[in-house]
């Protein structure tokens, strides 16, 4: 099956940029959120990423400014924002990118089952949750899979394609081909908590969180030392602010529940989330954001 039209549900940290990736590959995409202001934020993100990408091509003299202006309008013209399920009646592939809570995901999958044609594949951008449980909210569990992008979606090349208990081989093949059409590399994963990348990343972050708390280290000093080691572009606390503290915390809690003490849940992060400080998206996390 070829994907002629796609949809993204949730226009937050990931959703707006995922819609931009789909539109850049020449495929029309509907972007849904619960409020118009959230849809607008997602559309604005898509605009910024498109302008940055085309601007860099102009700078390198690969395309002219006129060409860039025309391409920008074409790409952004393929994204339609909505707060309802208008435009979902003829989609072939949906990427769900709502908050990392099973009850929210299951409610969305139930709605998607009603709003989309029977052949459409319903995929989740979940970082760690069970695809099988999400599929239980639908009458098409064979057409449900994971389709996990990494932050920032427009730059990171990998997509984890995750197989639930009932996912069919055909669904996995369509998802892997779709990832390629988006110019990404698909890696097929079994349904284990954290899949491949978050199991490795969160394990490393866990050690940093644990030692920072045990030794009462300053978060900024830790970030500076790790960044200056030259192995990663930024320290783990600053990265957590960009990813969203609520998302990182839910993944850490889920991995702790699944694998035990070797995954540490950061207390300062829990306190910040409880206070509603979720990182860059709310203006404050471990750092203040302008
Ligand atoms: N942040 C990351 O770095 C990252 C990376 C990879 C995967 N993910 C995963 O992507 C998903 C989304 O994460 P995020 O960081 O973009 O979250 P986010 O909180 O930034 O955005 C979620 C968006 O979903 C919207 N939403 C909530 N309920 C909805 C509904 N019923 N219908 C439509 N929209 C709804 C919210 O209004 C919000 O705009 C999560 O499963 C997360 O684990 C996140």
């Amino acid at each position: 099956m070829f994907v002629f039209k796609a949809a993204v549900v949730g226009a937050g940290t990931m959703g707006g940029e995922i819609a931009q990736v789909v539109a850049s590959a020449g495929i029309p995409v509907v972007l849904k959120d619960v409020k118009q202001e959230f849809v607008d934020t997602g559309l604005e993100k898509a605009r910024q990423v498109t302008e940055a990408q085309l601007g860099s091509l102009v700078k390198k003299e690969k395309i002219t400014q006129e060409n860039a202006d025309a391409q920008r309008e074409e790409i952004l013209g393929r994204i339609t924002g909505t707060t309802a399920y208008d435009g979902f009646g003829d989609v072939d592939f949906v990427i769900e990118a709502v908050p990392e809570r099973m009850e929210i995901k299951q409610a969305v999958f139930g709605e998607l089952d009603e709003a989309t044609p029977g052949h459409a594949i319903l995929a989740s951008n979940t970082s760690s949750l069970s695809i099988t449980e999400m599929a239980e909210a639908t009458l098409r569990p064979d057409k449900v899979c994971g389709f996990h992008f990494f932050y920032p979606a427009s730059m990171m090349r990998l997509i984890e394609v995750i197989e639930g208990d009932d996912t069919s081989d055909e669904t996995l093949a369509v998802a892997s081909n779709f990832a390629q059409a988006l110019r990404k590399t698909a890696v097929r994963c079994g349904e284990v908590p954290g899949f491949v990348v978050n199991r490795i990343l969160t394990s490393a972050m866990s050690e940093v969180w644990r030692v920072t708390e045990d030794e009462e280290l300053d978060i900024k000093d830790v970030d500076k030392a790790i960044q200056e080691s030259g192995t990663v572009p930024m320290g783990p606390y600053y990265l957590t602010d960009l990813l969203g503290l609520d998302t990182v915390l839910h993944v850490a809690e889920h991995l702790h529940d699944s694998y035990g003490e070797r995954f540490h849940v950061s207390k300062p992060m829990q306190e910040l989330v409880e206070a509603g400080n979720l990182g860059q998206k709310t203006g404050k996390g471990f750092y203040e954001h302008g």
Side-chain angles (χ1 to χ4, degrees):
M1 183 183 86
F2 188 80
V3 177
F4 290 99
K5 183 177 173 187
V8 177
V9 184
T13 308
M14 296 300 289
E17 213 160 317
I18 294 173
Q20 194 274 346
V21 170
V22 176
S24 290
I27 300 164
V29 55
V30 188
L31 176 63
K32 179 190 182 290
D33 208 301
V34 287
K35 284 191 185 166
Q36 190 57 45
E37 62 186 283
F38 301 148
V39 174
D40 291 343
T41 307
L43 293 174
E44 179 54 27
K45 182 77 197 167
R47 170 172 292 280
Q48 286 169 4
V49 170
T50 306
E51 281 177 354
Q53 287 175 343
L54 294 170
S56 140
L57 293 177
V58 172
K59 220 173 184 176
K60 291 180 192 154
E61 298 185 352
K62 298 211 163 159
I63 58 172
T64 62
Q65 185 59 52
E66 202 182 14
N67 220 309
D69 291 343
Q71 280 195 46
R72 183 191 61 224
E73 292 318 304
E74 264 182 43
I75 292 169
L76 297 176
R78 291 190 195 107
I79 310 177
T80 313
T82 179
T83 54
Y85 283 105
D86 311 333
F88 278 64
D90 58 350
V91 296
D92 307 302
F93 200 103
V94 182
I95 302 158
E96 164 279 308
V98 301
E100 188 74 344
R101 306 301 290 237
M102 183 54 78
E103 65 276 17
I104 305 179
K105 305 260 188 210
Q106 282 191 327
V108 167
F109 271 82
E111 289 165 12
L112 285 171
D113 203 28
E114 301 221 331
T116 61
H119 75 272
I121 289 175
L122 308 181
S124 174
N125 188 46
T126 180
S127 307
S128 65
L129 298 177
S130 162
I131 301 303
T132 305
E133 279 181 50
M134 287 177 222
E136 282 167 7
T138 75
L139 296 174
R140 60 179 102 176
D142 58 313
K143 296 192 175 65
V144 176
C145 68
F147 200 69
H148 182 210
F149 287 81
F150 294 87
Y151 178 90
S154 61
M155 290 173 76
M156 302 300 274
R157 311 306 313 167
L158 195 70
I159 293 180
E160 290 175 331
V161 173
I162 301 131
E163 181 176 358
D165 281 356
D166 304 306
T167 313
S168 70
D169 287 344
E170 195 194 338
T171 297
L172 294 169
V174 173
S176 298
N177 290 341
F178 185 45
Q180 279 185 13
L182 301 181
R183 304 184 190 98
K184 304 285 187 193
T185 303
V187 56
R188 292 262 291 264
C189 305
E191 187 177 60
V192 292
F195 313 126
V196 175
V197 173
N198 272 322
R199 199 165 157 182
I200 298 169
L201 177 69
T202 310
S203 154
M205 301 254 263
S206 253
E207 290 311 308
V208 177
W209 296 328
R210 199 192 313 267
V211 83
T212 307
E213 285 167 51
D214 287 353
E215 306 292 326
E216 297 181 8
L217 301 176
D218 185 283
I219 280 165
K220 289 184 183 138
D221 290 343
V222 173
D223 266 1
K224 190 162 173 273
I226 292 177
Q227 188 178 9
E228 284 177 357
S229 74
T231 50
V232 287
M234 66 190 80
Y237 287 98
Y238 194 76
L239 175 65
T240 302
D241 265 20
L242 298 187
L243 300 178
L245 268 66
D246 52 337
T247 302
V248 176
L249 180 65
H250 286 135
V251 173
E253 287 175 341
H254 182 54
L255 293 182
H256 179 268
D257 291 347
S258 308
Y259 299 118
E261 286 307 315
R262 67 194 171 99
F263 283 90
H264 179 74
V265 178
S266 155
K267 293 218 170 42
M269 199 187 313
Q270 272 175 328
E271 283 162 16
L272 284 164
V273 171
E274 271 163 29
N277 295 319
L278 308 182
Q280 191 186 43
K281 63 185 165 187
T282 58
K284 188 175 184 307
F286 290 110
Y287 293 81
E288 300 274 350
H289 300 270

